[in-house]
Amino acid sequence: MMKIILNAGREKSLLRRHPWVFASAIKNVDAPSAASGSTVDLLSSEGHFLARASYSPTSQIRARVWTFNDEPVDKEFFRRKIREAIALRQMSKVESHTNAYRLIHAESDGLPGFVVDQYKDILVLQSTTAGSEFWKDTVADLLIEETGIQNIYERSDVDVRELEGLKPITGILRGTITNSQLQITEYDLKFNVDIQHGHKTGFYLDQRANRHRAGEFAKDRDVLNCFCYTGGFSIQALANGAKSVLSVDSSADALSLLEENIALNRVRVPADRHTSLEGDVFQLLRKFRDENRSFDMIILDPPKFAPTAAHAEKASRAYKDINLLAFKLLRHGGILVTFSCSGGIDAALFQKIVASAALDAGVDATITEHLSQGSDHPVSLHFPEGSYLKGLVCVKG
Ligand code: SAH
């Protein structure tokens, strides 16, 4: 087996079971021309075995750990990991609320580079690293064997693949999929999802529990849902008796799916209480402020402003901007449900940003709840980066 020897002292993160090895930590690679994604042993500078990993020759993250044990990395290894991932979802009973959930959450399930989302009878797989690319076919076969689902669609079209020297790939990986649009159920509400053209693998599965929770506050309120995508929060709010919901997004495609989703749920969702608005949230919030408009509840679920800590400062300003405007637009007793999915901004910093937004808006507010990603997006204790979604429910005094 190919070997990577680390610089003295650089074994520390591996001893803490963090799964990444950066290029700067490496003293020597004994077969630098080894195939991208192939399996390597990671050794300390004294030659002690530390872990077995995948090799990413072009990435700054040069190796990602499959196992800290001296055990074979083969089909049976991946079968075990997949079974463990399935068992976690069964334990947390995610299927009692939905038929669409994350089955494999990369490092957090011990499978760096692999994201697999289950949408009823279709799996959507995303492979982001040299290692996941190397084992993709094996894992695809195992997913079929272990879930009984025959159809796998690939959405490996994320930018990070470039860092691994990989081109984007999308399309059918296994089975037959005749329609890229399918219907899922979430807390008894229906949603159309486009696995071919939608964001991520089609739906923001990580927000499921938060959409439901926010819905519980919406009764008799005028709700503004910013960055609404295909209407997850809007439809929960309407189904729970919101007085009105205004949904804003810059994507016309997302808004047209939102309209379909409202129609799909017409028994519980009164379409006449809903308005969609295509536009830029930053501009619209200002316009609403200038028009003295106000709301009883505002949801802010923006895209990732800070993918890494390097973007944190600029992102902080963007988060502060929208939260400040939202505090101004809220009526007394109004509720702000605000999120950040930026890996580069941790929960403590996010809370500080929201606090300074309230201060500058000249309002008092109280946090009544901290929110995070659903249990189908678990977090390995050794990989805190896996915990990326944070939310606050704040009530304006
Ligand atoms: N809350 C949604 C997910 C939001 S994802 C859900 O539960 O499904 C973020 C959304 O923000 C995307 O739909 C994207 O189109 C939209 N977006 C990104 N930048 C925007 C901007 N400046 N103004 C309005 N919408 C924007």
Side-chain angles (χ1 to χ4, degrees):
M1 176 122 25
M2 173 186 164
K3 291 183 177 54
I4 287 182
I5 299 175
L6 301 188
N7 287 318
R10 295 303 295 270
E11 70 284 359
K12 285 195 189 117
S13 64
L14 288 171
L15 293 175
R16 287 196 305 266
R17 292 189 166 246
H18 191 280
W20 293 352
V21 174
F22 286 91
S24 60
I26 293 175
K27 182 158 89 189
N28 180 51
V29 180
D30 78 347
S33 60
S36 171
S38 56
T39 305
V40 297
D41 274 356
L42 301 175
L43 307 180
S44 71
S45 57
E46 285 111 38
H48 299 305
F49 175 87
L50 294 165
R52 199 151 279 158
S54 65
Y55 179 49
S56 287
T58 67
S59 170
Q60 279 309 301
I61 304 178
R62 195 60 47 93
R64 288 179 176 81
V65 173
W66 294 127
T67 176
F68 291 96
N69 303 325
D70 186 359
E71 63 178 328
V73 172
D74 55 11
K75 185 167 180 180
E76 288 316 301
F77 171 84
F78 286 100
R79 187 190 301 282
R80 222 170 54 238
K81 292 283 164 192
I82 291 169
R83 283 188 179 170
E84 285 168 9
I86 294 171
L88 270 193
R89 277 69 183 171
Q90 284 170 344
M91 187 282 290
S92 59
K93 303 215 176 305
V94 61
E95 283 195 353
S96 54
H97 301 302
T98 186
N99 56 10
Y101 55 92
R102 179 148 298 184
L103 201 60
I104 294 179
H105 186 42
E107 277 85 351
S108 300
D109 284 301
L111 291 167
F114 283 110
V115 164
V116 179
D117 289 340
Q118 178 172 340
Y119 292 96
K120 224 163 50 175
D121 55 356
I122 295 181
L123 300 174
V124 182
L125 178 147
Q126 196 164 67
S127 156
T128 57
T129 66
S132 58
E133 207 60 18
F134 189 90
W135 289 100
K136 187 165 75 183
D137 281 314
T138 305
V139 164
D141 292 341
L142 284 166
L143 285 167
I144 290 173
E145 289 172 34
E146 296 300 321
T147 64
I149 291 174
Q150 302 298 318
N151 304 311
I152 307 181
Y153 192 81
E154 178 167 11
R155 276 297 299 272
S156 301
D157 54 347
V158 282
D159 295 343
V160 288
R161 273 172 69 94
E162 246 176 76
L163 305 174
E164 302 273 325
L166 302 169
K167 299 239 161 348
I169 301 177
T170 59
I172 297 169
L173 190 61
R174 293 287 186 279
T176 43
I177 300 166
T178 46
N179 192 344
S180 79
Q181 198 156 316
L182 50 93
Q183 200 184 103
I184 61 154
T185 307
E186 179 176 288
Y187 286 95
D188 297 328
L189 294 168
K190 295 179 193 132
F191 292 92
N192 280 342
V193 174
D194 190 329
I195 57 169
Q196 186 179 356
H197 306 104
H199 296 177
K200 303 224 271 189
T201 62
F203 204 59
Y204 289 85
L205 298 167
D206 51 357
Q207 286 282 28
R208 175 189 322 109
N210 301 331
R211 289 189 276 263
H212 182 253
R213 186 70 182 131
E216 292 182 318
F217 308 132
K219 193 168 171 39
D220 296 331
R221 292 185 185 265
D222 289 317
V223 178
L224 171 62
N225 180 13
C226 297
F227 310 97
C228 63
Y229 190 50
T230 58
F233 282 96
S234 305
I235 287 165
Q236 275 288 357
L238 289 163
N240 281 283
K243 197 195 292 174
S244 71
V245 176
L246 174 55
S247 303
V248 180
D249 203 281
S250 54
S251 158
D253 288 344
L255 291 175
S256 92
L257 257 186
L258 184 157
E259 295 295 340
E260 278 181 35
N261 289 335
I262 287 188
L264 271 183
N265 294 287
R266 63 184 155 279
V267 178
R268 290 181 55 198
V269 171
D272 58 351
R273 295 189 184 187
H274 182 259
T275 313
S276 303
L277 194 52
E278 186 183 332
D280 174 50
V281 166
F282 291 84
Q283 288 172 12
L284 279 169
L285 289 176
R286 285 187 166 69
K287 182 166 170 278
F288 291 164
R289 179 199 56 194
D290 296 343
E291 293 168 358
N292 283 324
R293 290 189 61 172
S294 62
F295 300 88
D296 303 304
M297 178 165 172
I298 299 181
I299 297 147
L300 295 176
D301 184 21
K304 207 169 13 191
F305 293 147
T308 69
H311 308 80
E313 207 180 306
K314 188 160 173 247
S316 300
R317 281 197 293 276
Y319 285 116
K320 182 168 171 188
D321 187 32
I322 53 176
N323 281 280
L324 193 160
L325 289 161
F327 274 126
K328 288 199 165 165
L329 294 176
L330 274 178
R331 295 174 192 143
H332 179 70
I335 303 173
L336 174 64
V337 186
T338 182
F339 295 95
S340 162
C341 60
S342 293
I345 299 217
D346 66 17
L349 176 56
F350 183 57
Q351 187 170 322
K352 272 189 204 150
I353 294 168
V354 176
S356 83
L359 190 67
D360 287 9
V363 306
D364 276 327
T366 307
I367 298 172
T368 59
E369 240 164 282
H370 288 83
L371 304 173
S372 67
Q373 64 218 49
S375 61
D376 51 332
H377 295 62
V379 182
S380 160
L381 277 172
H382 310 300
F383 186 70
E385 294 90 335
S387 162
Y388 62 97
L389 181 64
K390 46 261 151 202
L392 296 171
V393 180
C394 300
V395 179
K396 179 170 168 176

